[in-house]
Amino acid sequence: MNAEALLAAGTPTACAPWPRVVVPRAVWIALREAPGLDLLALWGAPGMAHAAFLDRAAMRVVLASLPAPEGRFPALSPGRPGAVLFERALHDLWRLLPEEAVDARPFLDHGRWPVAGPLSARPAPQEPEAPPMTFLPAEGEGVHQIPVGPIHAGIIEPGHFRFHVQGETILRLEARLGYTHKGTLSLMLGKSPRAAARFAARLSGDSTVAHALAFARAAEAAAGVAAPPRAVAIRAAMLELERLHNHLHDLGAIAGDAAFAALHAECGEWREHLLRAQHAAFGHRLMMDRVLPGGVAQDLEAPGIAALRGVLARIAAALPGLRRIYDSHASLQDRMVGTGIIAPALRDAFAPGGVVGRAAGRAFDARVLNGEMAAEAMPLHAAGDVDARWRQRHAEAGIAIARAEALLAALPEGPLAAPLPPRGGEGVALVEGFRGECLAWVALDDGGLIEALYLRDPSWLHWPLLEAAVIGTIVADFPLINKSINGSYSGVDL
Amino acid sequence: MLWPRLARNLLTRPRTDPPVTPRPEVVAALRERLAEAGQRRLGRSLAIRHVDAGSCNGCELECHALGNVAHDLERYGLRFVASPRHADVLLVTGPLTRNMAEALLRCRAATPEPVWVVAAGDCAVDGGVFKGSYAVLGGVEEAIMPDLVIPGCPPTPTQILEGLVALLEAQAG
Ligand code: SF4
């Protein structure tokens, strides 16, 4: 099954700018194995399962939906390991049962909510009882378990990691998330896109611009509105600034997890300078709530632009030095090179986005898909280990600076936002955040209020790869590998 | 080479911000709380255990920034520790999700007395934008009474520092 066959076999809906088709069951089952289509996301709606794919040949997104009137649908996980977590969450939130699913255990639902299937048509009241979690087993001589979390040792989001180890070697890791589940999607339903934007901005705080932008673009596509050019440029600049501050954070934190404090301090200082310039320019250090459906919340004025360009120039000058420090310490390299490898077979099976994917050799960046960046401009450090992910981030930080600088130097004049008319429609968007592609899908009812939606963080495909990448490594390398992948907990927990 | 670096650092201005001063009324209120509780005083240094009770991770970014060279929280005698058993302060972020409530209570139970509980960020104060969700209890006080709240979404590192330094001042008096 390729994208053409999929589109021909289904009934099209009015989704913009990429197509969504409602398909019969047999076609849905065929999507388990469709080599040209990478799974982006799988989610639900009352009585309906939705899936989003990347059509690699045509570089576009394709959506498929299967009606599930009986509350069940054929699982995609038998052919697509990346579907496993999505299916578990789908059952938790929408109470749709994935038939023949590889893993039927709950994921986000810990049995502590007052309702079962909170996003289903009729959520059933339930008595919170929190049954004990079950973990996949590992057996053998001297195997023991290390339970970690939900509260971890550092300043980090909560999640439970269950290690099975033999001596120092990790045999199996399972990440159990859902601790930060806030019911974000349910809070957005029935609101206008403008009123719902602040929830998209808080799906994962470190990607606040990326998720808010994906949501805004999807809502604009649904309402048939285009943001004015000045807003488009300011948003694009914010996206690059967000990428840069997070990459600086990760470049430092990875070194910090290898106990190399100097680089950590150096990167942290540059990041702080950048956040202060962002505060000067946007009135918020992380630029939260500055992206709105229709445009931007406020203008970027000359002093702010000057502050940003000044700090960008200084960071650009400092970046090569950061890599020299990294390159010239054999003790640091020793921890990074060959650690936590994501092998090509796994990369192809999961098709992860972002730095994690590119550092394993998967040449995809949503900015190329949106025509914002040339494919040749994308660096690839393809070894798949911690070192490759560090170098990939370093290279991408440089590109982010160049792009932000170019955007800030030539902001078009004009209005900051277009009004969103209260009308129905359906839209989808893919935005390259610092972790990878953030997907938003929004359906508006005739009054322009949100009828159905989904927001998907790239971390959905990164968590299972973390579990795979640590197998055979030692427990002491886990923090390093985890930091180099840096999945969002809140982004997945919804 | 160490010497050139050392020389350079001796000749440049410090990269650290000037120290923050906490608001006097906050210090006074905390002192009153201390007196009321007849609480034993902690020393002039506080060990902080951060607990994320379901945040969006925005607050965590700013807690991290407390450790960078500009804010350098360790110069005040403040430091983050890895276990609640070592902690004098629980710094709680997030709207307190139902899935995190038990973990927070267990963490509190594992923290030796006396302890300050700080709710940092609008979410931790009262649930913030997530108030009213089926998955959220709505603020730290639904599980434990905080001694100090630091609003903001997220609060800036300077605001968090002002709060933490106020705790130090309160017990110094
Ligand atoms: S207060 Fe704001 S930044 Fe902090 S967790 Fe809540 S939404 Fe995120």
Side-chain angles (χ1 to χ4, degrees):
Chain A
M1 163 101 19
N2 60 20
E4 294 311 324
L6 170 66
L7 292 176
T11 319
T13 64
C15 189
W18 292 306
R20 178 169 76 87
V21 288
V22 180
V23 298
R25 194 180 157 91
V27 173
W28 179 272
I29 291 175
L31 286 170
R32 286 177 179 168
E33 325 256 350
L37 295 175
D38 294 340
L39 181 74
L40 285 170
L42 185 59
W43 70 99
M48 187 79 95
H50 298 293
F53 299 91
L54 175 73
D55 171 9
R56 278 206 310 272
M59 271 295 159
R60 64 173 164 179
V61 177
V62 179
L63 291 86
S65 308
L66 178 74
E70 255 96 78
R72 30 183 81 230
F73 67 99
L76 296 182
S77 54
R80 293 183 181 269
V84 171
L85 290 185
F86 287 116
E87 284 170 1
R88 291 170 67 183
L90 214 162
H91 185 252
D92 288 344
L93 297 178
W94 287 277
R95 275 295 180 262
L96 296 182
L97 188 73
E99 295 166 321
E100 299 167 54
V102 169
D103 191 337
R105 293 172 301 156
F107 185 54
L108 302 180
D109 187 354
H110 297 185
R112 296 174 187 272
W113 304 333
V115 288
L119 295 175
S120 62
R122 273 179 299 280
Q126 71 176 6
E127 206 44 55
E129 55 164 351
M133 293 177 179
T134 51
F135 295 93
L136 299 174
E139 282 168 17
E141 179 76 26
V143 174
H144 62 282
Q145 295 186 22
I146 310 178
V148 180
I151 302 177
H152 301 295
I155 303 169
I156 187 166
E157 299 173 77
H160 184 88
F161 294 131
R162 184 62 61 104
F163 296 90
H164 282 85
V165 298
Q166 200 167 29
E168 269 293 286
T169 310
I170 301 172
L171 300 180
R172 168 168 254 165
L173 161 67
E174 208 183 326
R176 186 67 198 273
L177 305 183
Y179 290 91
T180 77
H181 178 76
K182 297 180 267 297
T184 306
L185 297 180
S186 80
L187 291 168
M188 297 172 80
L189 291 173
K191 292 198 167 65
S192 71
R194 277 285 170 101
R198 65 180 198 273
F199 298 100
R202 286 162 182 78
L203 186 71
S204 180
D206 49 17
S207 308
T208 175
V209 174
H211 280 298
L213 182 52
F215 172 72
R217 280 201 200 160
E220 287 157 13
V225 167
R230 186 170 177 86
V232 170
I234 293 176
R235 302 199 300 200
M238 279 195 261
L239 189 64
E240 299 305 330
L241 294 169
E242 178 172 273
R243 190 183 326 281
L244 180 60
H245 84 69
N246 279 298
H247 281 348
L248 286 170
H249 189 63
D250 287 347
L251 289 171
I254 295 171
D257 269 342
F260 193 74
L263 198 54
H264 189 195
E266 199 76 36
C267 293
E269 187 182 5
W270 287 117
R271 177 172 181 273
E272 181 67 26
H273 286 309
L274 180 57
L275 296 190
R276 288 178 182 194
Q278 288 172 186
H279 186 263
F282 298 100
H284 193 285
R285 284 163 54 93
L286 304 176
M287 302 174 287
M288 241 175 205
D289 300 325
R290 272 35 185 189
V291 176
L292 286 181
V296 288
Q298 69 187 72
D299 200 4
L300 188 51
E301 285 164 12
I305 298 178
L308 288 170
R309 293 182 69 186
V311 79
L312 286 175
R314 288 165 62 208
I315 297 174
L319 266 187
L322 298 180
R323 211 194 51 221
R324 266 198 305 280
I325 300 176
Y326 179 86
D327 279 337
S328 60
H329 287 81
S331 57
L332 193 56
Q333 308 269 315
D334 184 51
R335 295 291 309 278
M336 311 286 189
V337 178
T339 307
I341 296 176
I342 294 174
L346 274 174
R347 170 201 70 202
D348 294 341
F350 283 88
V355 166
V356 172
R358 289 190 286 276
R362 181 171 182 263
F364 174 70
D365 185 312
R367 286 173 295 174
V368 174
L369 178 110
N370 293 325
E372 296 159 278
M373 195 170 106
E376 311 77 67
M378 196 193 332
L380 280 188
H381 288 276
D385 55 1
V386 176
D387 177 65
R389 291 189 279 278
W390 195 93
R391 290 178 189 282
Q392 185 71 26
R393 283 191 177 90
H394 185 273
E396 295 191 10
I399 298 173
I401 294 175
R403 283 177 53 81
E405 167 58 29
L407 286 157
L408 293 172
L411 284 181
E413 293 301 325
L416 296 171
L420 246 51
R423 67 162 94 104
E426 184 184 331
V428 59
L430 203 64
V431 166
E432 187 75 21
F434 87 99
R435 277 199 183 85
E437 70 285 337
C438 303
L439 180 133
W441 172 79
V442 178
L444 303 177
D445 67 15
D446 290 338
L449 303 181
I450 299 173
E451 196 169 41
L453 91 156
Y454 192 61
L455 304 174
R456 173 273 204 191
D457 190 86
S459 308
W460 281 97
L461 299 174
H462 296 164
W463 286 110
L465 286 171
L466 169 68
E467 295 173 342
V470 299
I471 292 175
T473 64
I474 58 173
V475 178
D477 275 342
F478 170 74
L480 192 58
I481 301 170
N482 186 23
K483 182 43 80 183
S484 77
I485 292 178
N486 188 16
S488 168
Y489 300 67
S490 182
V492 166
D493 286 349
L494 294 169
Chain B
M1 279 305 272
L2 186 62
W3 289 113
R5 209 181 303 162
L6 214 69
R8 203 165 56 234
N9 285 345
L10 283 173
L11 294 175
T12 50
R13 276 189 306 142
R15 301 175 183 187
T16 309
D17 287 353
V20 299
T21 28
R23 294 216 310 275
E25 65 273 20
V26 175
V27 177
L30 285 167
R31 245 179 227 156
E32 226 164 83
R33 246 188 118 76
L34 256 182
E36 258 171 45
Q39 204 174 325
R40 195 154 49 86
R41 293 232 157 101
L42 293 154
R44 259 209 79 87
S45 137
L46 292 174
I48 307 161
R49 173 65 256 205
H50 161 257
V51 181
D52 177 338
S55 91
C56 79
N57 81 27
C59 282
E60 279 54 52
L61 291 181
E62 296 299 42
C63 289
H64 265 287
L66 292 174
N68 69 29
V69 294
H71 299 110
D72 188 19
L73 90 161
E74 300 217 359
R75 70 184 143 143
Y76 301 94
L78 300 166
R79 73 204 154 90
F80 283 102
V81 292
S83 166
R85 295 190 198 283
H86 305 157
D88 309 313
V89 177
L90 291 182
L91 179 66
V92 190
T93 59
L96 189 58
T97 58
R98 289 182 187 268
N99 287 354
M100 269 307 288
E102 185 188 340
L104 177 63
L105 285 172
R106 285 212 208 173
C107 181
R108 174 65 186 85
T111 316
E113 302 288 340
V115 55
W116 292 107
V117 177
V118 180
D122 287 351
C123 283
V125 173
D126 66 356
V129 302
F130 300 104
K131 222 178 332 198
S133 159
Y134 63 87
V136 155
L137 289 170
V140 173
E141 70 172 58
E142 295 299 317
I144 339 169
M145 223 24 190
D147 299 290
L148 176 68
V149 297
I150 306 175
C153 183
T156 63
T158 309
Q159 288 166 330
I160 303 175
L161 264 181
E162 279 170 6
L164 294 173
V165 173
L167 294 179
L168 283 175
E169 293 290 315
Q171 55 198 16

